[in-house]
Amino acid sequence: MIGERLYRDVRLGVKTLLLHKMRSILTMMGMVFGVGAVIAMLAVGEGASKKALDEIRRLGSQNIIINSQQAVENSGQNSQRIRMNIYGLLYADLERIQSSYDTVVRAVPAKLIRSEGRVAGRSQELRLVGTTPEWFDLVQREILAGRQLLDRDVEQNANVVVLTEHGARKLLAGRTAIDTEVLINQGYYKVIGVIKSESTQSGSMQTPDQNIDAYIPLNVAIERFGDITTIRGNGSRSRELVELHQLIVEVDKREHVESTAASIERMLSVFHPKGDFRMSVPLALLRQAESTQRTFNIVLGSIAGISLLIGGIGIMNIMLASVTERTREIGIRRAIGAQRKQIIGQFLIETVVLSMTGGLIGIGIGLLIPWIITIVADMPTVVTPWSVMLSVVISVGIGIIFGMYPAMRAANLDPIEALRHE
Amino acid sequence: MSFDSSQRSNSDTVISLEQVWKTYRMGDQDVHALAGVDLEIKRGSFWAISGSSGSGKSTMLNLLGCLDRPTSGVYRLEGQDIATTSDDELSDLRLSYLGFIFQNFNLIQQLTVQENIELPLFYQGVDASEAAKKSRSLAERVGLADRMGHRPTELSGGQQQRVAIARALMNDPSVLLADEPTGNLDTATGDSIMEILTELHDQGKTIIMVTHEPEIAAHAQHELVMRDGKVASITQNNATAGVPA
Ligand SMILES: Nc1ncnc2c1ncn2[C@@H]1O[C@H](COP(=O)(O)OP(=O)(O)O)[C@@H](O)[C@H]1O
Ligand SMILES: [Mg+2]
């Protein structure tokens, strides 16, 4: 019964609006572009931040990553002599971190060595990562074939290697990966597993994994490569002594991450006065990115609010004109026996139909734009369901809020005066 | 107080006015648009109200039509005193007991003939199929059954007034109120409208019509002349064909 009435009322509203198609369309424009812009902008913003946040999250929000870096005064030397650069994290640092912090669950070391891998005449530049099996617990990767490094590989000093999907494809060219022997620096390493590549690398952060990584047991790396590497530049040669290139520290709780990081940094600074290490705390970056996103959302929300407000005022303006224009109609309806609330209902329904239709078209446009942006500009966009739902609610709300005043004006007309209106 | 459309007093009297005053305040002066009107209208009677401009005809019709309340005095419609009714209750009274016919037809332009006719039942909440049945039979009665889908602008003045009559009959009103129903029509068309009204009266409808044309007023049983807000005279018109006194 109520449904049938509402259907009749809505149909009447639509019919009335269709009498002035052009006017109705122009009136809706404010809502169309307001809602469309909101959804599209949110989708682009969300897409950009999701990409950044995913990257940071992948590093582990409970982790602290410490990288070795050349101290400033050591770099930029242009000597022809062979000289030795000594810098970076020490084996002793690893032990200090492992033993002196209650909040540290574990600290996983890595040696990073550039070397070439060969299989049956093919060669590929690799980044050897000498690490412990725990690396795979901290930086979780999908295992595509075989297995990850295990404690027994370490115990047996086994010449084994885990490749990334990307590296395996380059090196093996479609051949079965597992059990293939890869020649690296005059030693043969048996491929025991392939893990998924995580190719994204943000410029500012030295991520713990790369496309061309090949994981070998840390003790094998130390034994085979030692701590000294020779770097050949154009005409110059330099040598580096680095014990550990990277430490990933896992903290027991999120709440302890920042304090632990600060305290480790203080401790390391004592042993490394030259500052030949760099710490990155994914959680802090995450927080920062999230707060940037929040600010972005607030700014967007305000712009959206203003444009919707303007859309609403536009609708109200037209509805007020419509009430004046239809004064006689209102008088006729009242004389026949329509109550005030029925007149209010009639005009409110018209405004809501206007604003909601505008809103729905706006949603259509708001979905279309991110889709086009993704295709044309290859930018990630994420349309969140809540932005669409919010848009529907807001367009109905705008219709009711900005329709109320014109509708009340209509309902409060004196029927006698209204009937006399020309 | 609530009104029930099915509740009609079985009394002969549909409308009674006792010392009804309607006073408008213009600046610091009181204008008595109605100044102590007493009137009783029997069921099935046909009244014409005439009088010079400013004599209070429109005020009277608005009051009888429950579009307005008296400043003082008692107005009873179907035995119910409307003095203390709310705006919503006045609407209900109009919807239940009254039908309006206007000089300028007052059809709603964006609605079809059928939708215009069905308007009273729309507000009564009668379901669509029942309303359609009734509107069709009334359209037939005023000779417009083939124009149901047309817009008012596609009809002549006489046709529009017939639609308005059909609409006014839709709620089976106790009283039909007509304000100069032929005022915007040529003589021939006006006569055909008066034929319909006379026919309705013959079928037992109570009709109150405002007119300033004596020939039109002559169709009614009772001719009430107003002057300065008062009833100046009431003439019985026995010449009306086929109407028992
Ligand atoms: N709304 C109003 N405000 C003030 N005075 C009014 C109003 N309506 C009617 N009047 C006055 O009441 C008197 C009767 O008016 P009306 O009923 O319109 O007469 P008629 O319809 O016979 O010409 C006139 O003097 C008119 O000026
Ligand atoms: Mg008048």
Side-chain angles (χ1 to χ4, degrees), chain B residues 85-103:
Chain B
T85 47
S86 69
D87 190 85
D88 280 354
E89 287 165 340
L90 280 184
S91 292
D92 282 347
L93 281 173
R94 296 195 291 271
L95 191 58
S96 305
Y97 297 133
L98 302 171
F100 288 91
I101 300 164
F102 303 94
Q103 178 171 358

Side-chain angles (χ1 to χ4, degrees), chain A residues 15 19 328 333-334, chain B residues 87 94 106 110 115 123:
Chain A
K15 244 177 92 170
L19 281 183
R328 191 111 79 85
R333 290 180 182 274
R334 294 281 278 135
Chain B
D87 190 85
R94 296 195 291 271
N106 274 343
Q110 70 262 34
E115 288 163 337
Y123 285 116

Side-chain angles (χ1 to χ4, degrees), chain A residues 79-313:
Chain A
S79 158
Q80 290 291 348
R81 289 186 301 123
I82 301 169
R83 54 164 294 145
M84 180 84 86
N85 263 337
I86 305 171
Y87 69 92
L89 298 162
L90 307 170
Y91 299 121
D93 292 329
L94 173 63
E95 264 149 48
R96 279 191 280 263
I97 291 171
Q98 277 170 332
S99 59
S100 355
Y101 297 92
D102 290 344
T103 52
V104 169
V105 178
R106 57 190 143 194
V108 179
K111 277 181 96 64
L112 307 174
I113 303 150
R114 294 255 160 203
S115 190
E116 208 177 43
R118 285 174 194 274
V119 174
R122 294 178 73 89
S123 74
Q124 165 69 35
E125 175 78 11
L126 296 174
R127 188 179 82 161
L128 291 181
V129 180
T131 188
T132 62
E134 283 178 313
W135 191 95
F136 294 88
D137 298 332
L138 285 193
V139 185
Q140 287 175 3
R141 293 291 173 272
E142 194 185 333
I143 294 170
L144 297 174
R147 59 174 179 88
Q148 60 174 63
L149 291 178
L150 297 175
D151 286 336
R152 70 163 191 263
D153 300 321
V154 178
E155 285 154 18
Q156 296 166 359
N157 254 2
N159 279 1
V160 291
V161 62
V162 173
L163 295 175
T164 63
E165 186 186 7
H166 177 87
R169 202 171 332 112
K170 286 268 174 164
L171 202 53
L172 305 169
R175 226 170 320 150
T176 325
I178 305 301
D179 289 344
T180 307
E181 298 279 342
V182 181
L183 178 63
I184 303 169
N185 193 32
Q186 294 148 15
Y188 280 97
Y189 293 78
K190 194 167 77 174
V191 177
I192 53 165
V194 177
I195 61 170
K196 199 168 171 105
S197 308
E198 294 286 350
S199 60
T200 50
Q201 266 177 279
S202 68
S204 64
M205 264 178 294
Q206 191 175 346
T207 50
D209 63 336
Q210 290 183 3
N211 259 335
I212 52 166
D213 279 353
Y215 304 88
I216 59 176
L218 178 64
N219 47 346
V220 175
I222 294 169
E223 196 173 288
R224 290 267 171 173
F225 293 87
D227 296 332
I228 300 171
T229 38
T230 306
I231 299 165
R232 276 166 247 265
N234 19 334
S236 74
R237 272 201 314 164
S238 68
R239 296 208 293 165
E240 280 188 352
L241 193 155
V242 178
E243 293 189 2
L244 288 172
H245 293 85
Q246 190 170 64
L247 284 174
I248 305 178
V249 179
E250 187 191 2
V251 179
D252 57 353
K253 283 187 193 135
R254 260 178 175 237
E255 299 83 74
H256 295 152
V257 169
E258 273 147 327
S259 60
T260 306
S263 142
I264 290 176
E265 183 157 29
R266 266 197 307 279
M267 182 275 286
L268 285 177
S269 297
V270 173
F271 294 94
H272 299 266
K274 289 186 204 156
D276 50 355
F277 69 95
R278 191 163 51 92
M279 303 197 49
S280 33
V281 183
L283 182 67
L285 295 169
L286 185 71
R287 291 241 172 88
Q288 203 181 333
E290 278 169 350
S291 109
T292 309
Q293 174 65 11
R294 257 196 304 282
T295 314
F296 185 68
N297 281 348
I298 289 171
V299 170
L300 256 167
S302 314
I303 295 172
I306 291 169
S307 61
L308 289 172
L309 189 74
I310 292 169
I313 291 172

Side-chain angles (χ1 to χ4, degrees), chain B residues 188-225:
Chain B
T189 317
D191 284 345
S192 75
I193 293 299
M194 286 318 297
E195 256 170 56
I196 296 176
L197 288 183
T198 309
E199 223 176 270
L200 287 169
H201 168 233
D202 290 345
Q203 288 160 9
K205 277 282 168 222
T206 312
I207 302 173
I208 304 172
M209 169 180 76
V210 166
T211 179
H212 67 275
E213 296 173 72
E215 313 89 83
I216 299 296
H219 285 85
Q221 278 175 305
H222 312 278
E223 224 183 303
L224 184 155
V225 180

